[in-house]
């Protein structure tokens, strides 16, 4: 009886969650179609983005718009819009009243028009005098030169809801609009993959390819709109406990003693929107040689009791050959062999330049809400009133130094330091600024020492008179939480050994994988995986590939039309996927392919069963 009751509660909970998601996406679609003719049409300007957000009951500031529409953005599609709405929650009455309360220090419930003019025309998104006048002239909430902000908030929220309702009503009365369930506008191509929206970190303005390459498609993580599929296929893979650790990477120390090696560190960083960025590398081989390439999480000694979550994060490297141009890269191979936490590849490579693109599925490196017992203290004052860094913060800085010292020589070159700067502040340090650093902080051979790095952070604390705000921005952008645990980053190390020449590896950029990685990922699964045609639809093929402890499925659409595929993992056991949803739907553009999902065991010490049904909606 208790089991039945629990099952019923879980079932009702799932129904409720699906209902909430359905309402959310209906509201998204209603707002989108108020401004654009179709959900297949893309947002093409900041102004359009602002309009659709307003139709969805949001009141975005210019800062918010700039966060999602950077200098690199050319368009945003419907899926991007939905992702933005999930992050930008509508303002509540409590939040609005608290904001006005900071101005109304006397708690009178009113703000003088003169004070309102001063604030609205000089702070934040500065308004013109005419724009402020339109607010102060409204009789509903103005009287005797004062604004009644309680009434203003009520009218604001009512207007916002009316705006959303009008959009929904328009959707309901127009059957043509109601049918537009999903929408990704992409050009035809032979391959592509779902990509998350690229957005800058809190203090970073990096160059990211927002314009999707041909055939790139994005998968909306939404409730299924189809109760019955026209065509479907199921795939089941059963893996025993710890079976992922049995496929040993063959490294023969005796035969590789004379091989020449190179090494570089790097890091995966988790963005606010869940996107993952990492270092990218260029590898140069002077001549043809047998080569062994490996990647694994970097083991950093952590203080007792600190989490080491990143050590369980899966890693991979895709090896691409550079031809005439950097854009024209050809997939050579990828690290499919696994031994414990290490993934590797062995084979022969010809002379020339290669690109190494690190990859992680996002199954284990993802946003997780955890309770922080208490915020760590970063600075303190000694008996003389001098600022000093706490031992706990110093330990974290040493770990950070270890991670950003890419060549592992115990010093930070200007190039290495600039990766750190770009990640944490969005700016680069030029030669002149580096010379100033050299005058003030310890350096050796024009490279910053560990002590110099510590002193630099102490100077930043002194610049703000002990206020740790800037220090926390740095730590958070590097994946640390307020307990000084690295929870949203995964440092890794790449080793390359060559039999007949000295390999050279160099970190070139720190950015999202982009279309090159997307195509390489899809191509690797199609080349190596098992292919199944959807029953009753010969143009839709599901490719499934298991590599060590990872399973990746790719949907290939050979037809002339876009398709929506319903994905159901309810029969899987002891699994987690990169989407965080058991049931979802994806849209695949004509003549393209994209990743459906990545799956890994939840607990590797137990058997895990991947059982997935792909159905055509």
């Amino acid at each position: 009886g208790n089991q039945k009751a629990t099952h019923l509660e879980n079932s009702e909970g799932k129904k409720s969650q699906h209902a909430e998601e359905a309402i959310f996406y209906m509201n998204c679609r209603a707002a989108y179609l108020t401004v654009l003719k179709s959900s297949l049409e893309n947002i093409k300007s900041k102004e359009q983005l602002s309009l659709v957000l307003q139709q969805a009951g949001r009141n975005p500031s210019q800062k918010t718009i700039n966060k999602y529409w950077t200098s690199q953005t050319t368009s945003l599609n419907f899926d991007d819009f939905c992702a933005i709405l999930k992050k930008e929650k509508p303002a509540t009455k409590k939040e609005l009243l608290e904001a006005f309360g900071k101005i109304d220090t006397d708690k009178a419930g009113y703000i003088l028009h003169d004070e309102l003019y001063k604030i609205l025309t000089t702070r934040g998104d500065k308004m013109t005098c005419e724009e402020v006048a339109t607010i102060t002239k409204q009789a509903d909430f103005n009287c005797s030169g004062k604004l009644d902000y309680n009434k203003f908030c009520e009218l604001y929220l009512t207007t916002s809801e009316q705006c959303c309702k009008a959009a929904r009503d328009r959707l309901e009365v127009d059957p043509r609009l109601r049918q537009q369930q999903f929408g990704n506008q992409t050009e035809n191509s032979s391959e592509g993959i779902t990509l998350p929206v690229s957005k800058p970190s809190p203090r970073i303005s990096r160059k990211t390819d927002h314009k999707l390459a041909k055939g790139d498609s994005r998968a909306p993580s939404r409730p299924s709109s189809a109760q019955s599929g026209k065509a479907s296929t199921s795939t089941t893979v059963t893996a025993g406990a710890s079976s992922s650790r049995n496929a040993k990477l063959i490294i023969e120390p005796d035969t590789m003693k004379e091989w020449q090696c190179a090494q570089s560190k790097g890091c995966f960083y988790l963005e606010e929107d869940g996107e993952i960025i990492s270092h990218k590398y260029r590898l140069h081989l002077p001549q043809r040689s047998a080569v062994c390439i490996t990647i694994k999480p970097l083991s950093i000694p952590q203080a007792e009791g600190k989490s080491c979550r990143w050590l369980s994060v899966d890693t991979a490297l895709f090896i691409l050959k550079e031809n005439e141009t950097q854009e024209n890269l050809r997939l050579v191979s990828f690290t499919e062999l696994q031994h414990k936490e290490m993934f590797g590849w062995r084979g022969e490579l010809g002379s020339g330049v290669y690109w190494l693109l690190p990859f992680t599925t996002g199954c284990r490196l993802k946003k997780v809400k955890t309770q922080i017992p208490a915020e760590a203290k970063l600075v303190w004052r000694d008996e003389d009133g001098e600022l000093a860094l706490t031992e706990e913060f110093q330990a974290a800085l040493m770990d950070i130094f270890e991670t950003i010292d890419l060549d592992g020589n115990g010093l930070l070159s200007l190039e290495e330091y600039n990766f750190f700067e770009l990640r944490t502040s969005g700016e680069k340090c030029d030669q002149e600024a580096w010379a100033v650093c050299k005058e003030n902080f310890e350096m050796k051979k024009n490279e910053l020492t560990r002590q110099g790095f510590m002193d630099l952070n102490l100077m930043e604390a002194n610049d703000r008179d002990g206020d740790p705000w800037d220090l926390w921005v740095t730590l958070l952008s590097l994946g640390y939480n307020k307990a000084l645990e690295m929870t949203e980053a995964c440092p890794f190390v790449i080793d390359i050994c060559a039999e007949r020449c000295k390999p050279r590896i160099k970190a070139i950029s720190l950015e999202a994988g982009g279309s090159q990685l997307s195509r390489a990922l899809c191509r690797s699964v199609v080349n190596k995986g098992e292919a199944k045609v959807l029953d009753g639809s010969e143009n839709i093929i599901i490719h499934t590939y298991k590599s060590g402890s990872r399973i990746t499925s790719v949907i290939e659409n050979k037809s002339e039309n876009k398709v929506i595929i319903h994905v159901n993992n309810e029969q899987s056991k002891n699994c987690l996927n990169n989407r965080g949803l058991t049931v979802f739907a994806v849209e695949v553009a004509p003549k393209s392919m994209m990743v459906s999902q990545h799956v890994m065991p939840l607990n590797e010490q137990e058997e895990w069963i991947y059982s997935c049904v792909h159905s055509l909606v």
Side-chain angles (χ1 to χ4, degrees):
N2 289 340
Q3 286 180 338
K4 284 184 179 179
T6 303
H7 178 74
L8 186 63
E9 284 176 13
N10 291 339
S11 177
E12 290 300 318
K14 285 182 181 178
K15 286 180 184 177
S16 174
Q17 183 185 353
H18 286 181
E20 286 177 15
E21 288 178 344
I23 292 168
F24 171 77
Y25 285 110
M26 181 192 71
N27 289 334
C28 290
R29 200 162 60 253
Y32 201 83
L33 296 176
T34 302
V35 178
L36 296 121
K37 293 178 182 178
S38 162
S39 56
L40 288 172
E41 190 177 339
N42 288 349
I43 298 168
K44 294 185 174 67
S45 68
K46 285 185 177 182
E47 292 71 28
Q48 276 191 336
L49 176 59
S50 182
L51 277 174
V52 288
L53 285 172
Q54 286 168 4
Q55 290 297 329
R58 309 308 194 261
N59 186 28
S61 64
Q62 195 57 48
K63 183 180 178 182
T64 299
I65 296 296
N66 291 340
K67 182 166 68 168
Y68 299 109
W69 194 285
T70 72
S71 59
Q72 302 297 311
T73 309
T74 56
S75 66
L76 294 171
N77 66 20
F78 179 57
D79 294 337
D80 301 333
F81 173 63
C82 294
I84 291 170
L85 279 193
K86 279 190 174 180
K87 295 179 188 68
E88 302 300 329
K89 306 294 185 187
T92 64
K93 186 173 182 180
K94 182 183 176 184
E95 290 169 339
L96 291 170
L97 291 175
E98 283 177 356
F100 278 111
K102 290 177 182 177
I103 304 168
D104 177 25
T105 53
D106 296 332
K107 306 303 177 191
Y110 296 91
I111 297 173
L112 293 173
H113 285 175
D114 289 345
E115 190 174 1
L116 193 66
Y117 267 105
K118 183 179 177 183
I119 291 168
L120 295 182
T121 57
T122 59
R123 297 186 191 175
D125 287 353
K126 299 178 185 65
M127 297 174 71
T128 64
C129 292
E130 292 76 17
E131 287 171 333
V132 180
T134 60
I135 297 173
T136 57
K137 286 177 182 176
Q138 293 284 334
D140 293 333
F141 45 81
N142 289 285
C143 183
S144 305
K146 294 183 290 186
L147 177 135
D148 183 333
Y149 59 81
N150 272 284
K151 288 183 179 178
F152 173 82
C153 292
E154 286 173 7
L155 185 63
Y156 169 84
L157 294 171
T158 303
T159 305
S160 177
E161 178 50 40
Q162 286 173 348
C163 199
C164 294
K165 187 177 184 301
R168 288 196 300 269
D169 290 346
R170 180 172 175 266
L171 187 71
E172 285 302 312
V173 299
D174 191 334
R176 179 184 62 83
L177 295 178
R178 263 204 324 271
Q179 289 170 4
Q180 294 183 11
Q181 296 284 335
F182 301 89
N184 298 320
Q185 182 174 319
T186 55
E187 299 176 56
N188 291 352
S189 180
S190 61
E191 56 192 41
I193 181 177
T194 177
L195 290 174
V197 186
S198 297
K199 301 182 185 71
S201 296
R203 295 177 66 194
I204 187 167
S205 176
R206 65 185 190 286
K207 292 182 179 177
T208 309
D209 184 12
H210 284 254
K211 187 174 182 181
L212 291 173
K214 286 189 175 183
D216 286 356
S217 176
R218 303 184 185 210
S221 300
R222 311 186 192 167
S224 167
S225 59
Q227 299 304 315
S228 59
K230 296 178 184 175
S232 67
T233 186
S234 63
T235 304
T236 302
V237 178
T238 302
S242 301
S243 68
S244 63
R245 302 309 190 199
N246 296 333
K248 290 192 176 181
L249 174 64
I250 303 169
I251 300 177
E252 303 162 33
D254 292 337
T255 61
M256 290 175 58
K257 275 182 180 177
E258 305 301 320
W259 288 28
Q260 298 183 70
C261 298
Q263 184 184 85
S264 184
K265 287 180 274 189
C267 197
F268 295 111
Y269 294 108
L270 192 59
E271 297 282 56
E272 279 302 309
D273 61 358
E275 182 185 34
I276 296 170
I277 70 168
S278 75
H279 294 83
K280 291 181 178 179
Y281 303 83
R282 186 179 278 146
L283 167 67
H284 178 249
L285 289 175
Q287 66 183 80
R288 175 175 288 276
S289 175
V291 175
C292 178
I293 300 175
T294 64
I295 181 171
K296 65 178 180 179
L298 178 66
S299 181
I300 301 173
Q302 287 286 283
E304 191 175 343
K306 293 293 183 189
S307 166
C308 298
R309 280 178 49 195
W310 75 87
L311 290 176
S312 65
V313 170
D314 59 292
T315 59
L317 270 179
F318 285 85
I319 306 160
L320 286 76
K321 179 73 168 69
E322 184 172 295
N323 296 321
E324 295 80 21
T325 63
Q326 182 181 327
E327 288 73 29
N328 186 18
L329 300 179
R330 175 178 56 85
L331 175 65
V332 175
S333 194
F334 62 101
T335 52
E336 58 181 320
L337 300 172
Q338 181 180 3
H339 177 53
K340 296 183 178 178
E341 72 280 0
M342 179 189 291
F343 280 82
W345 176 82
R346 279 196 70 165
E348 189 155 302
L349 294 177
S351 63
V353 177
Y354 296 83
W355 281 80
L356 303 181
L357 306 184
F359 170 74
T360 183
T361 60
C363 290
R364 291 180 177 157
L365 184 59
K366 60 171 63 174
K367 293 280 177 184
V368 178
K369 289 184 179 179
T370 53
Q371 281 294 115
I372 308 293
E375 182 177 309
K377 197 172 179 181
L378 304 184
V379 295
W380 63 288
R381 292 190 183 275
D382 61 20
E383 294 174 354
D384 300 323
E386 294 292 320
L387 271 180
L389 307 179
T390 63
E391 287 187 11
E392 195 174 10
F393 182 36
Q394 288 185 55
L397 286 174
M398 285 295 94
D399 291 345
I400 290 168
F401 187 95
E402 186 71 22
T403 301
I404 63 178
D405 175 21
L406 302 182
D407 62 10
N409 71 343
L411 301 167
L412 293 184
S413 66
L414 176 57
E415 283 185 342
E416 290 171 330
Y417 181 74
N418 270 336
F419 281 123
F420 166 77
E421 275 294 302
L422 282 170
R423 178 64 193 161
T424 57
S425 71
E427 299 173 354
K428 290 181 77 171
C429 176
D430 58 22
Q431 290 288 350
E432 188 178 341
W434 194 243
V436 174
C437 276
K438 192 172 184 178
E439 292 173 9
N440 292 278
F441 306 108
E442 184 181 83
M443 285 201 182
K444 288 181 182 177
K445 300 176 184 176
N446 202 36
E447 294 189 332
L448 193 65
T449 65
R450 285 184 174 84
Q451 188 57 50
F453 182 66
M454 300 287 275
D455 292 340
L456 192 150
N457 280 275
L458 179 58
M459 182 199 73
E460 187 167 354
N462 273 300
D463 284 348
R464 293 188 66 91
D465 197 30
D467 183 347
W469 189 84
D470 272 351
L471 300 174
W472 274 121
V473 171
T474 295
L475 288 163
L476 294 172
S477 66
L478 293 173
Y480 283 80
N481 63 17
K482 287 297 183 83
L484 285 181
E485 297 170 324
M486 193 195 300
T487 56
E488 295 188 357
C490 172
F492 56 78
V493 59
I494 297 170
D495 284 286
I496 301 154
C497 295
E499 184 179 18
R500 292 190 286 276
C501 61
K502 174 68 176 175
R504 293 200 304 274
I505 181 173
K506 184 178 182 181
I508 301 298
S509 61
L510 178 62
E511 59 189 11
S515 58
Q516 293 285 5
L517 179 59
S518 306
R519 283 193 286 272
L521 184 56
C522 280
R523 183 55 59 196
S524 67
V525 173
V526 170
N527 289 346
K528 297 272 189 176
E530 175 193 4
K532 281 190 176 183
V533 176
L534 246 66
D535 296 336
S537 185
E538 61 183 19
N539 287 323
I540 312 299
I541 303 167
I542 309 299
H543 301 269
T544 306
Y545 177 61
K546 181 177 183 296
S547 173
S549 58
R550 290 189 292 248
I551 291 175
T552 298
S553 64
V554 166
I555 304 169
E556 183 177 7
N557 177 15
K558 291 184 174 182
S559 74
E560 301 289 340
N561 304 307
K562 73 176 180 71
V563 296
I564 296 169
I565 303 295
H566 176 245
V567 185
N568 188 319
N569 295 294
E570 289 179 323
Q571 298 305 310
S572 292
K573 306 292 183 192
N574 187 31
C575 290
L576 74 162
N577 67 21
N578 62 308
R579 296 184 181 277
L581 293 169
T582 304
V583 179
F584 55 91
V586 294
E587 181 184 292
V588 191
K591 299 291 184 183
S592 72
M593 55 184 165
M594 61 174 288
V595 168
S596 167
Q597 63 182 338
H598 303 288
V599 178
M600 296 186 70
L602 188 62
N603 182 352
E604 291 193 20
Q605 304 308 312
E606 298 176 5
E607 180 184 73
W608 55 291
I609 300 171
Y610 168 73
S611 182
C612 180
V613 178
H614 287 82
S615 309
L616 183 64
V617 174

